[in-house]
Amino acid sequence: PVRNLHALWDQVMRKIHKVKRPLNHAGRSTIEYYATQITEQYTRRKLAEDLEIEGFYEIGMQVHAIARISAYTDIYEYSYPSEYYRSSRFEVCKRLIALAGYRLADLLNKYL
């Protein structure tokens, strides 16, 4: 059981199946499946305004603000987070994964 909010957020991505290491064909296929699902839902165009923010500090502040707003809304002290809370925060995580992926791709394209 989750005993604190931080642990819940760490576990939110468990909705995506654990992929064993070292990667095999099945693991790569699972990662590719979720990458496709997330990037189709959260396209560069949809995230264009967020992607305009550059600089590690600025990006960190942006993600921190998103996390604070998302983490402390629709949750009540001394109660287990609702299914709505858990599923909607899964969507926040997918959006942040897409942002991170696009930013990493941009950095690699710029410096490699």
Side-chain angles (χ1 to χ4, degrees), residues 3 11 14 49 51 56 63 67 79 90 92 98 109 111:
R3 300 205 184 277
Q11 292 178 5
R14 288 189 185 207
E49 187 175 323
L51 290 169
F56 293 116
V63 172
S79 66
F90 181 61
V92 171
N109 285 331
Y111 292 107

Side-chain angles (χ1 to χ4, degrees), residues 94-110:
K94 289 193 305 185
R95 180 172 168 258
L96 291 173
I97 288 169
L99 279 169
Y102 293 134
R103 286 177 169 143
L104 177 59
D106 291 344
L107 279 173
L108 292 172
N109 285 331
K110 181 176 180 177

Side-chain angles (χ1 to χ4, degrees), residues 7-99:
L8 177 70
W9 276 80
D10 287 346
Q11 292 178 5
V12 76
M13 290 313 297
R14 288 189 185 207
K15 285 191 171 195
I16 293 180
H17 305 302
K18 288 184 178 181
V19 176
K20 293 182 181 180
R21 304 290 193 274
L23 279 180
N24 57 23
H25 178 71
R28 279 190 289 280
S29 294
T30 300
I31 290 170
E32 287 173 10
Y33 170 79
Y34 284 110
T36 299
Q37 295 296 313
I38 290 170
T39 55
E40 284 179 356
Q41 182 176 0
Y42 295 101
T43 63
R44 275 187 179 271
R45 174 180 271 171
K46 190 178 231 181
L47 300 175
E49 187 175 323
D50 289 322
L51 290 169
E52 288 177 8
I53 296 173
E54 295 180 346
F56 293 116
Y57 177 81
E58 291 79 7
I59 291 169
M61 295 304 292
Q62 175 197 39
V63 172
H64 177 74
I66 291 168
R68 281 188 62 100
I69 291 166
S70 300
Y72 299 112
T73 305
D74 301 320
I75 192 165
Y76 305 97
E77 196 170 7
Y78 305 114
S79 66
Y80 191 77
S82 67
E83 177 57 34
Y84 167 77
Y85 179 91
R86 293 189 311 272
S87 64
S88 63
R89 285 3 177 233
F90 181 61
E91 291 303 314
V92 171
C93 287
K94 289 193 305 185
R95 180 172 168 258
L96 291 173
I97 288 169
L99 279 169

